[in-house]
Amino acid sequence: MKYLKKALLLSLLLISQVSFGQVAEKALRLFIIGNSFSQNATAYLPNLVKENNQQLVVGRAELGGHSLQQHWEYAEAAEANPEDPKGKPYNGKSLRMLLSAGTWDVVTMQQFSYLSADVDSYSPYAQKLYNYIKSLQPNAKILLHQGWAYRSDAKKFGRVAPEQPAKTQEEMWQKSRAAYHAVAKQLNVSLIPVGDAFNAVATGSEYRFTKDMNFDYDHPVFPNLPIQTNSINMGYYWKDNVLVFDPNHANEAGRYLGSLIWYAVLFKESPEKVKYQPKEVPAGFAAYLRSVAAKTVKDL
């Protein structure tokens, strides 16, 4: 009887190890090199993965407002001297340390939004980072996360050349899109087309954001806010009794849209099959965002 119990216990252990191995094998291992825009665009990715009983492991080298050049210079500093604190900006770790933590299936990178419409700002840093990633993770699929243009009422748009900011959302968008596609072609990689989806919403007829011209922006009174229906950017909000304006980062609807695009690209699933939606996003608007995401990734 004692031997029977031991044999049974051994069998259970073997079964549990096999089961765990099967789950681990199914997990997609994603590593993100980016900034606040990549954080925005993947905010609801875990929710979408969980809904469909899939597995995802995410590693991150993200620093707000950081460009491809800055990420590369940190890696370069660490390669020159592994003990140099400048090379360890990611909570005391270097990019090499993070990328070497296991095997990554997909590695993404993106440009700082303000520089995204200036194609010269990508060179030579996108190529250097690509080569660096491949040296550490030769089998990883590298993708470019395409950022988005600032909201149409932004007071300043991303630059298209040094000392030359774009004049409109449309100009920033067109130059940014061209730059991302040029770099993707140069590196022979695919895009995660979040920017395409944002532009589709921004220029669409049914859910396009328009600035509230009746609000007194020069003399705001707490807690009043302008009408910002259908915005996918943060826009105006009150913080410590001060009216703050952020036309750049994604709000909950924008984060949802970005996550739908990431999910569709990574898992090859149609966004229109997704049932999850953030409580802050109205049902009709959420359905529209899913349809936009589906159309955006349809031809990938």
Side-chain angles (χ1 to χ4, degrees):
M1 189 68 177
K2 184 167 74 172
Y3 294 108
L4 183 60
K5 286 182 178 179
K6 283 185 177 181
L8 182 59
L9 179 59
L10 181 60
S11 298
L12 288 172
L13 285 171
L14 287 171
I15 291 170
S16 65
Q17 287 174 357
V18 170
S19 300
F20 178 80
Q22 288 171 343
V23 171
E25 285 174 10
K26 290 179 183 178
L28 176 70
R29 290 179 56 83
L30 167 68
F31 191 88
I32 302 171
I33 303 172
N35 49 47
S36 58
F37 270 39
S38 57
Q39 291 172 335
N40 281 183
T42 59
Y44 291 110
L45 183 57
N47 303 79
L48 307 186
V49 171
K50 183 179 179 181
E51 175 189 305
N52 290 284
N53 296 315
Q54 290 152 323
Q55 303 291 326
L56 177 67
V57 176
V58 183
R60 297 180 183 269
E62 296 170 306
L63 297 168
H66 273 59
S67 65
L68 292 169
Q69 178 178 352
Q70 288 171 297
H71 282 295
W72 168 248
E73 288 176 348
Y74 294 142
E76 196 173 37
E79 291 302 307
N81 177 9
E83 302 306 317
D84 185 354
K86 183 184 176 184
K88 299 178 180 179
Y90 314 105
N91 293 321
K93 293 187 177 181
S94 67
L95 189 56
R96 173 180 283 275
M97 293 167 69
L98 294 174
L99 278 172
S100 299
T103 301
W104 301 103
D105 301 307
V106 178
V107 180
T108 71
M109 56 184 182
Q110 69 183 76
Q111 181 57 297
F112 171 42
S113 64
Y114 183 72
L115 301 177
S116 63
D118 180 0
V119 67
D120 291 336
S121 72
Y122 294 73
S123 181
Y125 312 107
Q127 184 69 62
K128 286 180 179 291
L129 277 170
Y130 175 92
N131 294 343
Y132 189 69
I133 295 164
K134 280 296 184 182
S135 72
L136 298 172
Q137 295 287 338
N139 297 318
K141 182 177 183 179
I142 299 178
L143 298 173
L144 273 182
H145 169 218
Q146 175 200 50
W148 52 89
Y150 302 157
R151 202 169 78 174
S152 58
D153 58 342
K155 297 170 184 176
K156 186 178 182 180
F157 295 94
R159 80 181 202 192
V160 296
E163 308 302 323
Q164 185 184 339
K167 295 180 177 63
T168 63
Q169 179 189 50
E170 177 66 17
E171 184 184 9
M172 180 181 174
W173 162 243
Q174 291 291 353
K175 295 289 178 63
S176 173
R177 188 176 195 277
Y180 267 110
H181 276 267
V183 175
K185 184 177 181 180
Q186 173 196 335
L187 301 179
N188 193 28
V189 301
S190 298
L191 289 168
I192 303 174
V194 176
D196 282 349
F198 267 62
N199 186 64
V201 175
T203 58
S205 57
E206 188 178 358
Y207 284 92
R208 178 188 299 191
F209 163 81
T210 55
K211 183 176 180 179
D212 182 359
M213 301 305 294
N214 297 316
F215 186 80
D216 188 350
Y217 296 93
D218 295 324
H219 306 94
V221 177
F222 179 83
N224 298 329
L225 286 170
I227 297 171
Q228 300 181 99
T229 306
N230 300 333
S231 175
I232 50 178
N233 302 86
M234 289 289 293
Y236 290 93
Y237 61 95
W238 289 95
K239 183 177 181 180
D240 299 327
N241 290 328
V242 175
L243 186 63
V244 178
F245 182 44
D246 179 0
N248 306 349
H249 292 92
N251 62 12
E252 299 311 310
R255 293 175 185 184
Y256 183 53
L257 177 60
S259 298
L260 289 167
I261 297 292
W262 276 71
Y263 178 70
V265 170
L266 294 174
F267 289 91
K268 310 301 181 187
E269 298 278 0
S270 172
E272 288 191 302
K273 295 180 181 178
V274 170
K275 294 183 175 60
Y276 174 83
Q277 64 186 57
K279 63 180 183 301
E280 298 88 351
V281 184
F285 193 30
Y288 170 73
L289 295 177
R290 289 193 292 272
S291 70
V292 167
K295 289 175 185 176
T296 302
V297 302
K298 183 178 180 182
D299 299 325
L300 291 180

